[in-house]
Amino acid sequence: IFEQLGEPAFRDGERRVIARLLEGPPIVLATGGGAFMNAETRDLIKARSVSVWLKTDLPILARRVARKDNRPLLTGKDPMTVLQEQAEVRYPAYGRADITVETGDSPHQVTVDQVVRALTDWQARASA
């Protein structure tokens, strides 16, 4: 879709899928970074769920994305350069997430534990 119809068509379809999923039972929904940049999608997420930004240092992200060739915005480009440019534009929107969890290069279970603790703390504050 991204390649054939372009990013706007992809983001529109992404928004519709996210809206449908958020109407169902509680789930963990991992979106790509571009999804939260769409104001309508971001509003849906904020209204119907708890949003969590997994904030990771750019060199770690660059290393991770360099291992894959399925990221249209990175095709044929230096990952670090693209990520730095995206960070400048995206971080203000990402900062609107309900929770920010600073992650590193730890095993997945460490990040899961961090997210669970952050959600528990967030819920306690929201209930107070």
Side-chain angles (χ1 to χ4, degrees), residues 79-106:
M80 190 64 182
T81 301
V82 173
L83 290 170
Q84 286 172 328
E85 292 168 356
Q86 287 178 337
E88 289 178 27
V89 173
R90 293 179 173 191
Y91 278 20
Y94 293 175
R96 296 182 192 152
D98 296 308
I99 298 168
T100 298
V101 175
E102 299 271 349
T103 67
D105 209 10
S106 302

Side-chain angles (χ1 to χ4, degrees), residues 57-127:
D57 291 336
L58 293 181
I60 294 170
L61 289 177
R63 190 173 65 249
R64 289 178 184 167
V65 299
R67 295 185 291 219
K68 300 177 181 180
D69 62 355
N70 63 344
R71 302 211 174 240
L73 295 176
L74 295 173
T75 303
K77 300 174 184 166
D78 173 54
M80 190 64 182
T81 301
V82 173
L83 290 170
Q84 286 172 328
E85 292 168 356
Q86 287 178 337
E88 289 178 27
V89 173
R90 293 179 173 191
Y91 278 20
Y94 293 175
R96 296 182 192 152
D98 296 308
I99 298 168
T100 298
V101 175
E102 299 271 349
T103 67
D105 209 10
S106 302
H108 290 102
Q109 189 57 49
V110 172
T111 300
V112 170
D113 292 343
Q114 288 176 287
V115 170
V116 169
R117 277 193 306 275
L119 285 167
T120 301
D121 293 347
W122 181 87
Q123 187 174 22
R125 285 192 308 275
S127 299

Side-chain angles (χ1 to χ4, degrees), residues 15-33:
R15 178 193 47 76
R16 287 179 296 173
V17 169
I18 289 170
R20 181 174 44 82
L21 291 170
L22 292 176
E23 289 173 359
I27 59 170
V28 173
L29 175 62
T31 68

